[in-house]
Amino acid sequence: MGLAKTEMFTDQQNEISLFAKVFGHPARVSILQHLFKIDSCVCGDLVNEIGLAQPTISQHLKELRHLGLIKGNVEGTSVCYCINTKNWTKMKETMLAFLNQDISINQNCC
């Protein structure tokens, strides 16, 4: 299998692609929705809330944290997670700029 040649694309194109990838799994969407719903940090109840095994939840949290959409703080023996509002706002601006591109209506288009 060939390697993705991300260096061929702009930083913005790569960033949009990473955002799309992180939203590409319903568990990550569910985690984000739960964090917004509780509007505070969550420490360990995601397994009960989402219904997936702890290692699976941890992998999804890792993806969200790697992209910077969530942040975590160590509290005792657990890590508490919440939305990283600064990065969330930046992601929204990037995605909205991409999604709000005007499309010209060309009647001759296939």
Side-chain angles (χ1 to χ4, degrees), residues 32-107:
L32 289 167
Q33 286 176 322
H34 180 68
L35 291 173
F36 276 111
K37 183 174 88 175
I38 63 169
D39 194 26
S40 67
C41 289
V42 64
C43 300
D45 68 341
L46 284 172
V47 171
N48 295 331
E49 184 65 32
I50 307 298
L52 297 173
Q54 181 61 53
T56 304
I57 295 288
S58 292
Q59 184 61 38
H60 290 301
L61 288 169
K62 179 181 172 185
E63 293 289 329
L64 291 166
R65 190 171 179 185
H66 175 72
L67 198 52
L69 295 180
I70 65 172
K71 55 186 175 180
N73 297 315
V74 176
E75 293 189 11
T77 59
S78 63
V79 180
C80 298
Y81 292 96
C82 62
I83 300 292
N84 184 329
T85 54
K86 179 181 173 187
N87 289 347
W88 183 263
T89 300
K90 181 179 178 282
M91 178 276 304
K92 282 182 13 179
E93 291 168 356
T94 300
M95 293 303 287
L96 284 173
F98 173 70
L99 294 171
N100 287 333
Q101 296 179 89
D102 291 334
I103 300 173
S104 62
I105 300 176
N106 183 350
Q107 298 297 326

